Amino acid sequence: MAGRKIAVVGLGGIGGVAAACLSLSPENDVTVCARRQIDKLTFDHHEDSISIPLKTLSDPGLAEPVDWVVLCTKAQDVASAAPWLENLCTPQTTVAVLQNGIAHEERVAPHAKGATVLPAIVYYNGERLAPDHVRLRHIRGHDLLVPAGPQAEAFAALFEGTPIDVGRSEEFLTYQWRKLLVNVIANPITALTRQRLGVFQRSDIQDLSLSILREAVAVGRADGAQLRDNEAEAILETFLAYPPEAGTSMYFDCLAGRPLEIEALNGAVVTAGRRHGLPTPLNSAMLTLLKTVSDANAKTP
């Protein structure tokens, strides 16, 4: 049996793709921690579709310490994942956090029992087609990005020989903010309009996106990110090259009537803006609208 014991916590689009790809390496012994028992996962990639056996736990009380935890819950669900982390983690464990937003360590470390926390930026598009069926779309460049260092090399080794490409960077904070900039337009606009990325072909949506981005860029610079003078325009230009048929996690959550990942996205910009004394009226407006939708979703039986 493989020597690297890995637990994937959360089996949504991102977690399902991560679990599928990690399971393709014979060096990995993968356990999925999810709400329900799933014995196999259908994994679509390009034109191929394969069935991957899964070892699943649905009771945190049965979990045992592992070498790696790959945390793929939404940022707002970290506290609810605490029972998993408490049983899976020791000071020798590394928790790779595949979540949107910034401040991964601050969110996860209090629940991780002294484990090392490795933040990761997710660039791939993972769509959950059914509880046991996920699809991987590559966007561009690396699929995952982590801060450079020994833990980064060990994390990249987990995905060797799989469809996921892991990059490492000395300028991780800047790339974190660049990903956040994409998310503060992609997620709220697709969720509020209930349209996939093709909605960004509209000129009025592009104008709104640029205004939201310029506001967030100012906050990111104040937070230490090395952002370019034309960062907002460059982000939008890059974003417009994404597949128009792709959806975002918030879009899918909105259609499914689930609570939305708010505070980690536009909420993070508003919080950082407040910390640095910068106004964020457009991101605040998005935050208010998304909270309204999310609260209504939470009340729906």
Side-chain angles (χ1 to χ4, degrees):
M1 178 55 69
R4 299 184 297 216
K5 292 188 176 181
I6 306 169
V8 178
V9 180
L11 200 64
I14 298 302
V17 166
C21 291
L22 287 166
S23 297
L24 294 175
S25 170
E27 301 297 320
N28 298 333
D29 178 7
V30 180
T31 299
V32 171
C33 303
R35 293 187 180 94
R36 67 184 73 179
Q37 186 73 27
I38 297 177
D39 297 324
K40 63 180 180 179
L41 188 67
T42 300
F43 175 56
D44 295 352
H45 179 230
H46 295 319
E47 302 303 319
D48 298 326
S49 184
I50 60 174
S51 180
I52 298 174
L54 286 186
K55 179 170 60 176
T56 308
L57 282 180
S58 56
D59 180 359
L62 299 178
E64 297 180 350
V66 295
D67 302 310
W68 287 87
V69 175
V70 181
L71 182 61
C72 301
T73 65
K74 298 293 175 60
Q76 73 268 20
D77 293 329
V78 169
S80 65
W84 287 112
L85 295 172
E86 289 166 4
N87 287 303
L88 293 167
C89 292
T90 72
Q92 286 72 50
T93 302
T94 300
V95 182
V97 185
L98 277 61
Q99 292 178 342
N100 284 325
I102 55 179
H104 295 58
E105 296 96 328
E106 289 85 341
R107 281 197 303 273
V108 175
H111 307 289
K113 294 181 65 177
T116 300
V117 177
L118 179 71
I121 303 171
V122 180
Y123 291 111
Y124 66 80
N125 180 266
E127 183 173 354
R128 191 183 191 191
L129 303 173
D132 60 351
H133 190 176
V134 295
R135 175 167 58 205
L136 166 63
R137 286 191 184 96
H138 303 284
I139 301 301
R140 58 185 298 167
H142 300 299
D143 297 301
L144 292 168
L145 187 72
V146 292
Q151 292 298 324
E153 298 306 312
F155 179 67
L158 302 182
F159 288 93
E160 285 181 2
T162 82
I164 294 293
D165 173 69
V166 179
R168 303 77 140 169
S169 177
E170 299 280 358
E171 301 176 348
F172 185 75
L173 176 65
T174 297
Y175 284 106
Q176 254 191 327
W177 267 95
R178 283 185 177 148
K179 176 63 187 298
L180 180 60
L181 291 173
V182 171
N183 278 330
V184 297
I185 57 171
N187 279 277
I189 290 175
T190 56
L192 292 171
T193 63
R194 298 199 172 206
Q195 297 185 51
R196 296 186 180 229
L197 298 187
V199 71
F200 286 90
Q201 299 304 316
R202 290 178 58 107
S203 61
D204 51 357
I205 292 293
Q206 292 176 25
D207 291 342
L208 173 61
S209 298
L210 277 175
S211 297
I212 295 170
L213 286 170
R214 287 167 181 152
E215 184 178 281
V217 165
V219 176
R221 286 192 182 123
D223 213 41
Q226 302 301 306
L227 301 175
R228 301 160 290 187
D229 291 341
N230 67 334
E231 192 72 49
E233 292 78 7
I235 289 286
L236 182 60
E237 181 179 353
T238 299
F239 180 69
L240 290 175
Y242 290 1
E245 71 277 8
T248 67
S249 58
M250 193 177 287
Y251 164 81
F252 293 120
D253 285 343
C254 193
L255 291 186
R258 292 188 289 260
L260 306 181
E261 189 176 32
I262 303 166
E263 296 298 340
L265 302 182
N266 301 82
V269 175
V270 173
T271 298
R274 191 178 300 121
R275 186 167 64 248
H276 296 294
L278 294 173
T280 55
L282 289 173
N283 281 276
S284 295
M286 287 291 172
L287 183 61
T288 299
L289 293 171
L290 293 169
K291 281 183 176 179
T292 303
V293 173
S294 186
D295 289 348
N297 288 352
K299 293 175 183 177
T300 301

